[in-house]
Amino acid sequence: MDSRDELAARLDACQKCNMCTAQCPVAKVNPRFIGPKGLGPDMERFRRGQINLDETMLDDCSNCKTCELTCPSGVKITEMILGARRAASKARHKNTMGLRLGLRGYILGRNEYLGKLGVIWPTLTNQVLKIKLVRLAIDKTLSISKNGPLPAYGKPLKIQPDKVGIGTNTNKQVVYFPGCYTRFNEGDTGRILIRLLEHLGYKTIVPDFHCCGLPLEANGQFGKADKNGRYNLELMRPYLEAGIPVITSCTSCGLTLKEDYPKLETSSAQLIGAQAYDLFEFLWQLHEKGELPLDFQEVRASYGYHPPCHLKAQGIGTPALRILGLIPGVKIRNLDAGCCGLSGSYGFKAEKYEKAMKIGSGLFEAINVGAEHGDFQSMTTECGVCKVQIVHGTGIPTVHPVRILAKAYRLID
Amino acid sequence: MWDAVVVGGGLAGWIAGIRAAQRGKKVLLVTEGVGTLFYFSGIFVYGDIEGLRHLPKHPYTLFNSEAIAQGQHFVQEICPEYIINETPQSAFTVLGTVRQGDLMPRNMILPDRQEQGRFVLLVPEGLKDFFPEVVIANMAREFPGWQVSAKRMRVDALAEWVKLGKSVSSIDYSAIWRSEEGQRVLAHEIEEIKRQYQVGNKPQEKIVVVLPSLVKEYVDFSRTKPCIEEFSLPVLEMSSFVPSPHGRYFAEYLKHRFTDLGGELMIGARAVSLNQESPSENKARLCQEIIVNSKGKSLCLKGKKFILATGGLLGGGIKVGMARKSIHEGVFDLPLFVPKEWSEPQFFASQPFAQIGVETDELMRPLDPERGEVVWDNVHVVGRMLAHWDPWTQRCGGGVSVTSGYVAAELV
C-alpha cells in the first residue's frame, strides 16, 4: 500500500473541500440530504464513537458513486456510506424506519423474484402494472411511486447450463452473467449477446445465477446480498479456476462483480475481479489481439450515448464507443450529461421519484437538444434502468449497444 | 494503440488532450478523479513572461514566445469569452478586492477606475462563504470614485434550502443563474435596480451590477437549450472560490470538447506503472504501455506517446512518504529535482519545495538530473509536474500549464 492508499483508507485523507457534495446529483436536488462529505467522512467520526444515524437518512444516497470519482484525495466515500448502512441495518429495531419502508426495501431488493413472477405471464403483469389504480395502490401501500417507470417484463432469457463440462478448449468459452434486468425484462438483449459471442466462436455458459446483490444492498438487505454473492461465486468457481472470463452486459452487475465480490470470503473471490469483463471491454481486448472480425456491414444510424455512472466507476473508459467506432456508417455522440437519476431502484420510490427526475433533467435536456439538432434519432446505453429512465424522461427510443454491433455483423435486422 | 495517452485531468492534461484530438490523433485521457480545476478562479495568470524566461531553468525557457501566444489563442478558440490583452486586466474577487489576471472572461473585466459610476452588488440569499459587508467595504475602497450599494435577492427554487437554514453553495447558485428561471429572476432584479437608480436625480449614472457565482462562459449549445436573456444593465462576474463554479463548468466543457473531438475519457482509473521495450545501450528508452488500475483488474494501455499531467505535490503526481527521503513520481518513477532545503521560514516567500518536479529537455522529455540525458523518448511532462517554478510567487500557473499542454500536443 503506498502512502496515498494509506491516507485514502483513513478518513483523514478528506480535506473537506466539498467537491463531492458540489458534484453529488442528490445534494443538488434535495436540501435535506447532507451530501456525501457529510454522510461519509464527517459522520464517520461520529460513527466511530458509536453514534449511529437513522437509516432513512443514509438511504438518501443513491449509490451512484459520483463522489468517489470526484474526490481529489481518493477517499472511498460511498464505501463509508454503505458500511454505515450495513451497520444501521443490523440495528434496525432501534431506528424509526417504518414497516412499510422495510417491506418496500424487501420487495425492491427482490427484483429477481419479482422477475421470476413477472415473466410467468408477462403481458398480464405488464397490463396490470399499467392500471393507474394498481399503481396508486402500490404507491399507498409500499411507497413505490405511481409515476415511476417500472420496466415491463418480456420473454425471459433461458439459462444455458454447462452440459458437456469445461473441457480443454477453455480459451473459447465464456460465462455470461446476464443480471435480472436482461433476464426478466429484456431477454432479447441477452439472446443477441449470446448469438454475437457464438458468432465470434465462443461457447457461452449461462448458469442459473441469482441477482448480483446490488439491489439488495441498495435496499438495505446486506445479509441477503452477501449470500447471493457467495452463491454466484460458487457457481462461477470452476470456470474462474479454469481461467474463463465472466461477461456482463449490465454495468451495475459488472461493478458489483468487480468491486464487491472480491471482498466476499470465498476462494473464488480472489479471482473474480480480474476475470469479470464488461462485454465491450472483453471485445476490445479481442480487438487488440486481432481476434475481432471486422467484416461489418454498414449501419447508417446515429445515436446519442449515455455512459452509466456504474460504467464510469469501473475505470475502464467507454469501450462500447471504441467498438462501435469501428463500424462504418455508425455515428455516435457521447453526451455524458450526468446521472439519469433512477439509480437502480432509487427513482421508483415515492418520496424520491421527483428528485430522480430532477437529477436526470440535465441528461434529458442534452438528449432533447441533440435530437432536435438532428444529431441522432435514438439513444444507446449499456444500463437497463438508465434506458428505462431515458425513455421515461424523453420518449426517445433507447437500445443496448450490443444491438448495434449485432446489426453490423448481420445477426439481427 | 493510442497516438497519445494523457495521464491527468487537470488544466494541462485537458489542453494537451483537446489539442491532440483536434489534430486528428487518437487520444485517451486517464484520470483518477475530476482534477484540480475545481480550484480554478476563472482567470489565467501568465506572470512576467520575459522576466521569468531569464531564470535559467524556468519552464518558460522551454518555449518560444510564439508557442506561449499560440496557447493563449487556443484557450480563446475554445472559450471565445476570454479576452487577450496587451496589459493585465482586473477583476473582483469574492471578497470585493481587485486582482489581476492575463486571460479572463469578458464578463469579469472591471470598468475603468477613472470613470465614475455605481456598483450594485446583488446578494443572493444564503450564499455560502459570502460576506456582503466585507465585499462592499472593499469595493468602495478599490473604487473611490464609485458609489457602492447592495440589493438582497432570493430565488424561489432555493426557498427550501433557506427555510431549512442551509447555506447554498456557489455551485448551486451558478446552476440557477444558468437556468431559465434564474435568468428570469435576474432580469427582474436588474430591471428594478435600473428603475431605482436611474429614475432619480442622475439619469446618466453608469450602473454596473455585480453578482457572485455567476458563470456565463463555457456554454455548450449542443447539450443545452439556449436561454438568452439580455439584461438591461451590464452584469459583472466575480472570480470563483472553492468549490469553484467556474472550474466546474470549465472542466465539464473541456471534457465535452475533448470527447466531441473523438477523445476518450477514462475516469476513476489510476495509472501506476509502465512496461518498456527492453533497453538497448546508451539509448533513451521507449515506454510501450502504462498500467492502470481499474476496478478489479489492471489494464495495459499501449501508446505511441505518453503525456504526464498528474500534477505536483498537491495534485498527487508527486508522492511524499512520511520520511522525506521517499519522494517519487507515481507513474514512471521519474527522477525528480529536489532542493536540499525544502522550506523558507518566511511563509509568503518563494518556498523551495515549489520547485520540486521533473527536469526536461526542450521537448519536455524527462531528464536524469545527474547525467543530463533523456530518460524516456516518448514521454512528455507537462503542467505542475515540471521542475523549477513556483506558481504562487511567480503567478504563472495557468501560463505554464496551458503552454506546456499545448506544445506537448503538437509533438504527438
Side-chain angles (χ1 to χ4, degrees):
Chain A
M1 204 186 253
D2 69 24
S3 56
R4 208 164 141 80
D5 279 332
E6 277 168 38
L7 268 176
R10 298 201 314 256
L11 73 125
D12 293 349
C14 171
Q15 303 168 25
K16 314 291 171 208
C17 70
N18 262 312
M19 287 186 204
C20 58
T21 302
Q23 283 286 76
C24 172
V26 178
K28 209 176 288 170
V29 299
N30 181 0
R32 283 163 204 280
F33 182 47
I34 59 170
K37 168 178 151 285
L39 204 55
D42 289 359
M43 284 295 182
E44 192 71 6
R45 296 194 189 277
F46 290 91
R47 291 190 285 263
R48 292 200 172 187
Q50 298 307 311
I51 299 166
N52 285 310
L53 281 171
D54 186 310
E55 197 181 349
T56 48
M57 190 182 203
L58 288 157
D59 190 47
D60 277 334
C61 163
S62 79
N63 194 25
C64 71
K65 301 185 196 277
T66 306
C67 51
E68 285 192 4
L69 287 185
T70 301
C71 179
S73 307
V75 180
K76 299 288 170 217
I77 304 167
T78 320
E79 210 169 291
M80 274 178 202
I81 296 173
L82 278 173
R85 289 181 74 173
R86 188 179 280 263
S89 74
K90 281 182 191 149
R92 181 161 291 155
H93 60 284
K94 282 191 220 154
N95 66 44
T96 56
M97 192 178 180
L99 182 66
R100 185 163 64 154
L101 295 190
L103 185 62
R104 178 182 73 183
Y106 188 89
I107 289 177
L108 285 180
R110 296 303 191 284
N111 49 343
E112 181 189 349
Y113 299 117
L114 294 179
K116 283 184 175 163
L117 287 174
V119 297
I120 294 173
W121 193 353
T123 39
L124 178 72
T125 316
N126 295 339
Q127 287 311 318
V128 170
L129 286 176
K130 275 185 196 154
I131 300 169
K132 281 197 177 140
L133 209 61
V134 172
R135 291 298 299 272
L136 188 67
I138 297 175
D139 191 320
K140 293 295 167 213
T141 52
L142 289 169
S143 297
I144 293 173
S145 167
K146 61 179 191 300
N147 301 316
L150 292 183
Y153 293 104
K155 185 183 161 201
L157 179 71
K158 281 197 195 117
I159 57 159
Q160 297 194 4
D162 188 12
K163 287 183 198 126
V164 282
I166 293 171
T168 48
N169 195 13
T170 52
N171 64 350
K172 282 290 180 187
Q173 293 180 39
V174 290
V175 171
Y176 175 38
F177 189 96
C180 301
Y181 181 81
T182 309
R183 221 172 140 182
F184 305 114
N185 302 102
E186 213 182 86
D188 261 356
T189 300
R191 285 183 284 273
I192 292 168
L193 180 142
I194 292 167
R195 273 177 72 189
L196 183 107
L197 288 167
E198 266 169 16
H199 178 74
L200 303 177
Y202 282 84
K203 180 181 129 190
T204 308
I205 303 145
V206 189
D208 194 3
F209 288 122
H210 279 322
C211 162
C212 70
L214 188 71
L216 288 158
E217 199 178 73
N219 285 289
Q221 322 265 313
F222 292 94
K224 177 72 177 132
D226 290 353
K227 210 174 143 195
N228 275 20
R230 283 193 294 269
Y231 177 88
N232 291 336
L233 277 172
E234 194 46 37
L235 283 184
M236 290 172 192
R237 194 168 52 84
Y239 308 105
L240 292 175
E241 284 170 355
I244 295 173
V246 177
I247 290 182
T248 57
S249 53
C250 160
T251 45
S252 294
C253 297
L255 183 63
T256 308
L257 263 57
K258 290 173 170 188
E259 189 178 30
D260 292 350
Y261 280 22
K263 292 175 202 154
L264 294 170
E265 284 157 5
T266 75
S267 58
S268 40
Q270 328 291 291
L271 302 172
I272 183 65
Q275 278 172 249
Y277 288 87
D278 175 77
L279 169 69
F280 287 95
E281 181 190 7
F282 178 75
L283 296 178
W284 183 254
Q285 209 190 25
L286 292 187
H287 177 62
E288 285 204 313
K289 286 189 280 187
E291 292 173 12
L292 189 77
L294 299 174
D295 55 338
F296 300 118
Q297 72 169 349
E298 193 180 33
V299 178
R300 284 180 164 274
S302 33
Y303 296 90
Y305 172 69
H306 164 66
C309 296
H310 285 177
L311 173 73
K312 291 185 193 171
Q314 289 185 32
I316 57 171
T318 45
L321 294 185
R322 266 177 254 154
I323 296 282
L324 298 180
L326 302 169
I327 304 170
V330 173
K331 282 198 187 117
I332 302 218
R333 271 205 75 201
N334 181 6
L335 293 176
D336 201 355
C339 177
C340 75
L342 197 74
S343 261
S345 55
Y346 190 83
F348 296 144
K349 297 172 183 175
E351 77 282 9
K352 302 201 170 78
Y353 169 77
E354 278 184 23
K355 295 190 171 77
M357 290 302 282
K358 260 195 207 166
I359 292 173
S361 61
L363 172 63
F364 304 152
E365 183 176 339
I367 294 172
N368 288 330
V369 169
E372 275 165 33
H373 284 190
D375 293 348
F376 47 81
Q377 294 85 41
S378 353
M379 285 291 296
T380 181
T381 187
E382 290 97 329
C383 172
V385 283
C386 291
K387 176 193 139 155
V388 167
Q389 174 84 338
I390 288 170
V391 174
H392 180 62
T394 64
I396 305 267
T398 307
V399 297
H400 191 285
V402 73
R403 279 182 173 268
I404 306 170
L405 185 61
K407 236 184 240 180
Y409 279 131
R410 303 175 178 85
L411 299 173
I412 56 168
D413 289 331
Chain B
M1 169 81 87
W2 301 92
D3 292 327
V5 177
V6 180
V7 189
L11 181 59
W14 281 123
I15 295 286
I18 294 171
R19 178 60 187 149
Q22 195 188 44
R23 294 182 56 233
K25 305 294 175 184
K26 271 175 61 189
V27 192
L28 177 72
L29 193 145
V30 183
T31 181
E32 204 179 347
V34 296
T36 42
L37 277 168
F38 272 62
Y39 296 103
F40 180 50
S41 64
I43 298 171
F44 294 94
V45 283
Y46 272 72
D48 171 14
I49 297 171
E50 286 315 310
L52 293 171
R53 284 172 67 152
H54 284 99
L55 299 177
K57 288 181 166 178
H58 194 278
Y60 276 157
T61 58
L62 304 172
F63 318 119
N64 55 35
S65 41
E66 200 187 336
I68 295 172
Q70 278 171 348
Q72 284 188 330
H73 286 289
F74 186 62
V75 171
Q76 202 190 24
E77 183 191 321
I78 302 174
C79 307
E81 303 94 344
Y82 276 84
I83 300 293
I84 300 176
N85 225 311
E86 290 297 306
T87 51
Q89 303 287 316
S90 298
F92 278 134
T93 69
V94 277
L95 282 173
T97 52
V98 170
R99 63 159 290 187
Q100 282 194 339
D102 299 289
L103 201 55
M104 65 174 70
R106 182 180 290 118
N107 297 307
M108 227 186 245
I109 298 172
L110 291 178
D112 190 347
R113 281 183 214 222
Q114 307 310 318
E115 280 183 52
Q116 292 204 337
R118 174 183 292 275
F119 287 121
V120 183
L121 179 70
L122 273 177
V123 182
E125 191 171 27
L127 174 60
K128 198 177 180 202
D129 299 330
F130 189 70
F131 309 100
E133 296 79 7
V134 178
V135 177
I136 292 165
N138 280 331
M139 284 167 70
R141 204 183 56 229
E142 297 275 5
F143 279 78
W146 287 58
Q147 303 288 316
V148 182
S149 43
K151 183 175 192 310
R152 294 185 180 267
M153 64 173 295
R154 57 179 308 171
V155 181
D156 284 347
L158 294 169
E160 210 182 328
W161 270 256
V162 176
K163 207 172 86 193
L164 286 169
K166 190 172 181 172
S167 55
V168 182
S169 78
S170 54
I171 296 241
D172 289 335
Y173 257 118
S174 66
I176 294 280
W177 307 142
R178 288 165 83 99
S179 72
E180 250 178 272
E181 188 200 350
Q183 294 271 307
R184 211 170 40 239
V185 174
L186 279 182
H188 174 76
E189 294 289 337
I190 290 163
E191 218 29 63
E192 266 192 19
I193 291 169
K194 202 176 164 184
R195 261 204 307 278
Q196 189 180 346
Y197 294 102
Q198 279 194 346
V199 176
N201 41 12
K202 269 201 239 162
Q204 301 308 316
E205 188 182 47
K206 181 183 170 87
I207 301 174
V208 176
V209 178
V210 182
L211 178 65
S213 70
L214 174 68
V215 180
K216 286 175 104 178
E217 297 73 34
Y218 333 116
V219 181
D220 171 5
F221 289 114
S222 67
R223 287 178 178 80
T224 343
K225 265 190 285 181
C227 54
I228 313 149
E229 190 78 57
E230 278 305 316
F231 301 130
S232 51
L233 292 171
V235 182
L236 257 190
E237 286 176 27
M238 306 179 94
S239 66
S240 280
F241 58 114
V242 180
S244 151
H246 278 92
R248 181 200 183 278
Y249 284 110
F250 190 43
E252 188 80 359
Y253 184 77
L254 292 175
K255 177 180 84 177
H256 286 149
R257 286 302 300 252
F258 175 66
T259 53
D260 284 353
L261 286 163
E264 179 166 340
L265 169 64
M266 190 179 280
I267 193 171
R270 191 210 290 190
V272 285
S273 60
L274 71 135
N275 285 331
Q276 57 170 305
E277 205 173 54
S278 47
S280 52
E281 269 175 60
N282 299 326
K283 264 184 78 182
R285 294 171 292 177
L286 276 182
C287 172
Q288 289 191 308
E289 54 187 18
I290 55 165
I291 316 289
V292 162
N293 284 349
S294 74
K295 284 276 156 63
K297 68 169 90 66
S298 300
L299 308 175
C300 298
L301 307 173
K302 289 188 193 347
K304 291 179 191 157
K305 293 268 189 181
F306 295 87
I307 296 176
L308 188 70
T310 45
L313 279 174
L314 297 183
I318 295 174
K319 297 170 185 188
V320 185
M322 290 307 167
R324 280 184 179 174
K325 278 174 200 159
S326 68
I327 176 166
H328 68 285
E329 184 279 308
V331 185
F332 296 90
D333 203 14
L334 296 176
L336 292 172
F337 163 77
V338 182
K340 278 208 179 69
E341 291 296 325
W342 283 42
S343 56
E344 256 306 295
Q346 273 179 302
F347 189 76
F348 290 109
S350 177
Q351 293 292 337
F353 70 79
Q355 312 277 333
I356 293 174
V358 175
E359 292 186 348
T360 70
D361 71 348
E362 68 279 10
L363 299 178
M364 294 182 288
R365 293 177 303 182
L367 290 178
D368 182 327
E370 276 161 32
R371 288 180 301 157
E373 287 168 4
V374 171
V375 188
W376 294 103
D377 235 2
N378 60 341
V379 174
H380 302 284
V381 181
V382 299
R384 192 65 197 97
M385 180 61 85
L386 292 164
H388 302 295
W389 65 295
D390 175 350
W392 303 294
T393 58
Q394 296 170 345
R395 305 185 66 83
C396 57
V400 171
S401 297
V402 168
T403 314
S404 58
Y406 184 85
V407 171
E410 295 293 313
L411 297 168
V412 173

